[in-house]
Amino acid sequence: MKALTALAGLIGAMALLLGGNPAARAAEDDTKIALKLFGKQDIESDLGTCRFSLWQDDRDPETDRYAYLFHVNSGDRGYAGPARVKIGDTVHQLFELAAGGAASNEVAGHYLYASDNREVRVHIEIRSADQSGEDNRISDAVMTVIQKGKVPFVAIAKGVLGCGGQQTASAAPAYQPDARAPGLPNGIPIGRQTLLNDMSELPPVLVQLMREQTGDECDVDGYHAWGGARYVINDYYLLWEVPCISAAYQAASVLAVTENPPRGWGNLLTLPNPPGISGEDYQAMNADILGPKGLVRTTALSRGVGDCGRYRVHRLIDGPGEVLELELLEYREKTDCDGIEMAPKEWPLIYQSY
């Protein structure tokens, strides 16, 4: 608080010194961060079921056209990011650098985001939050925006962090996991996704292993709509998504590990099936990687309308012999393609290991 008070005093003194001179006021404008509010209709990927959103404390995002200061979808579409803030006419994409500090209701007290070039940084301090279902409702937060060559901009905010989505009290209740298991155990954290421009950026050893080991499961040399992705695990390992198949309504990748940086060694990760379902496979269908939790969710649809198929959750763990592997946590399957659509995580539970 002392730092914020001192900053406010500094800005006020600058305003008094510069206020009477038009040229000086123009110079002052050059030092200001032109932070802009935006609405949910401005978020290209729509509000996710899992999200971290902040809005100006005197605005209501449900009724005000412009209310949001900061927004990032997470969980339901993979690792959190990119976040967005709007400065002037530019929407900046930010990625999480760190989270921690004193917690409020199991929510970290501090979050730091930055653009890839570090030109824009956002520090968020959550001072009060209360749990409401799967959401943490943030009643008091301070958001500080730092841009190179500008005076930091401080905003008081409210918001939400969690996976409750946009349901209201009258909406259908959120899925409740099996009473035996209060929640999914975390795996080894996975860093944020870096998309590859094309498959030529994949380590050659992984492409060769795909040809040798995946057989008819994959067509690594065929057409793929994307080039794959890379994730940092730690100073020793990288995780890769290698395109496997691209079909009409779904796609599969293979998860693989190399040294960090790659040096000619690689290992393809298999996805175990539950007891009673034979074998393992390589296909991570429609993979959803929850980076901070170290989880990988896959959904294999039996047909395009998405009313049947199988859903698996694995976590990344240390295996024997200092290798990484995937452990099956949950397996669900809906075999009746009856036209009734529901979230895959609500399909009948076949197996649960936690």
Side-chain angles (χ1 to χ4, degrees):
M1 290 300 293
K2 290 181 178 179
L4 295 179
T5 302
L7 178 60
L10 175 62
I11 296 172
M14 291 174 62
L16 289 173
L17 289 171
L18 301 175
N21 185 322
R25 285 199 300 271
E28 179 194 13
D29 289 341
D30 288 341
T31 68
K32 290 183 176 179
I33 296 176
L35 189 68
K36 302 291 186 181
L37 300 176
F38 55 92
K40 59 184 177 182
Q41 64 284 337
D42 301 316
I43 298 170
E44 292 81 359
S45 55
D46 299 321
L47 294 179
T49 303
C50 298
R51 61 192 176 105
F52 183 8
S53 301
L54 294 177
W55 49 86
Q56 190 167 294
D57 70 331
D58 61 353
R59 298 291 182 105
D60 184 341
E62 296 302 318
T63 58
D64 291 317
R65 170 65 174 81
Y66 300 102
Y68 286 94
L69 293 161
F70 170 95
H71 173 80
V72 55
N73 284 337
S74 61
D76 56 338
R77 296 183 185 276
Y79 181 62
R84 64 170 288 155
V85 296
K86 187 175 183 181
I87 299 176
D89 295 326
T90 303
V91 174
H92 293 271
Q93 293 189 338
L94 311 175
F95 297 91
E96 185 180 304
L97 297 181
S104 173
N105 192 40
E106 298 185 356
V107 175
H110 297 269
Y111 295 85
L112 180 63
Y113 285 78
S115 57
D116 274 334
N117 61 9
R118 302 299 192 265
E119 290 284 328
V120 177
R121 297 173 186 250
V122 171
H123 170 248
I124 298 166
E125 179 186 4
I126 297 179
R127 300 193 293 195
S128 180
D130 296 303
Q131 192 165 8
S132 176
E134 294 185 56
D135 275 339
N136 288 282
R137 310 300 296 189
I138 300 166
S139 56
D140 185 10
V142 176
M143 174 175 149
T144 304
V145 182
I146 302 167
Q147 187 176 19
K148 188 175 181 179
K150 307 283 187 179
V151 176
F153 185 101
V154 179
I156 306 301
K158 297 179 181 177
V160 63
L161 193 163
C163 293
Q166 303 173 62
Q167 290 185 334
T168 64
S170 60
Y175 159 72
Q176 296 295 322
D178 190 290
R180 295 185 294 110
L184 289 162
N186 292 345
I188 297 171
I190 300 169
R192 70 177 176 87
Q193 182 187 74
T194 298
L195 293 175
L196 307 181
N197 292 317
D198 56 61
M199 293 180 61
S200 66
E201 297 181 13
L202 290 165
V205 63
L206 297 185
V207 177
Q208 185 60 34
L209 288 173
M210 292 277 289
R211 294 182 181 133
E212 294 173 355
Q213 297 182 18
T214 61
D216 294 336
E217 284 191 55
C218 297
D219 181 14
V220 69
D221 296 308
Y223 167 77
H224 299 286
W226 71 313
R230 180 182 67 249
Y231 307 80
V232 175
I233 302 300
N234 51 39
D235 292 340
Y236 305 101
Y237 292 110
L238 296 172
L239 179 71
W240 302 80
E241 276 191 274
V242 184
C244 171
I245 60 169
S246 297
Y249 54 85
Q250 59 186 343
S253 55
V254 170
L255 300 176
V257 175
T258 67
E259 297 161 299
N260 183 14
R263 299 188 187 91
W265 170 86
N267 184 43
L268 306 185
L269 303 183
T270 56
L271 285 78
N273 280 313
I277 299 179
S278 61
E280 303 177 316
D281 58 72
Y282 291 103
Q283 288 186 352
M285 297 295 298
N286 302 310
D288 182 10
I289 295 179
L290 310 185
K293 295 181 178 296
L295 301 178
V296 179
R297 300 188 299 197
T298 62
T299 306
L301 301 176
S302 297
R303 63 178 189 169
V305 296
D307 59 345
C308 50
R310 63 175 182 164
Y311 169 85
R312 294 184 291 182
V313 182
H314 294 82
R315 68 169 174 169
L316 188 66
I317 61 171
D318 287 314
E322 297 186 358
V323 297
L324 300 177
E325 61 183 34
L326 294 171
E327 176 189 27
L328 180 65
L329 297 177
E330 187 173 295
Y331 182 98
R332 294 175 177 271
E333 187 170 12
K334 185 170 182 283
T335 57
D336 189 3
C337 301
D338 52 10
I340 300 174
E341 295 184 41
M342 62 180 66
K345 68 177 182 178
E346 297 176 352
W347 288 347
L349 179 65
I350 306 299
Y351 172 82
Q352 192 174 64
S353 67
Y354 57 96

